[in-house]
Amino acid sequence: MSDIKVRAKLEGTETVVKCLISHPMENGLRKDAKTGELVPAHFIEEVVCKWKGEVVLTASWSGGVSKNPYLSFKFLGGAVGDPVEITWKDNLGQSQSETAPIS
């Protein structure tokens, strides 16, 4: 099961995509309250959105993005039922993706 929640809705000629990603987004500068040691960096570096296999958004992130980031954007085109796929990759090499139909 993915930790990405995606909603895509057609509004006129634009598709509005909203997604919530569950991720710790540690920037590597925070100290653990119990041990006092730095918590290793662990953050999403790239988010890609595809519509019917075509890339419509690529975002490069860093440790400055908050925990469990929310992303919302629009693109021209789309039709009800078309698939929208969100994929992220982090600095530890992990990745996840989720696909949702446009409503």
Side-chain angles (χ1 to χ4, degrees):
M1 180 169 169
S2 174
D3 293 328
I4 307 172
K5 294 179 183 176
V6 182
R7 286 189 180 175
K9 184 175 182 180
L10 188 63
E11 292 183 0
T13 60
E14 296 179 329
T15 298
V16 178
V17 180
K18 297 178 180 179
C19 62
L20 182 63
I21 302 171
S22 295
H23 195 280
M25 298 300 286
E26 289 288 349
N27 62 12
L29 302 174
R30 186 176 67 84
K31 289 185 178 180
D32 186 299
K34 293 181 181 177
T35 65
E37 295 186 20
L38 289 176
V39 176
H42 185 197
F43 56 86
I44 294 172
E45 292 182 318
E46 183 180 71
V47 179
V48 176
C49 176
K50 294 180 181 179
W51 161 57
K52 295 190 333 183
E54 178 184 344
V55 175
V56 294
L57 173 96
T58 301
S60 297
W61 290 356
S62 67
V65 177
S66 67
K67 180 179 179 179
N68 300 328
Y70 172 76
L71 175 66
S72 178
F73 61 95
K74 300 175 184 178
F75 65 90
L76 289 175
V80 173
D82 286 352
V84 173
E85 179 185 10
I86 302 288
T87 303
W88 61 256
K89 295 178 187 172
D90 68 19
N91 66 320
L92 300 181
Q94 299 171 333
S95 65
Q96 281 192 343
S97 65
E98 181 67 40
T99 302
I102 297 172
S103 61

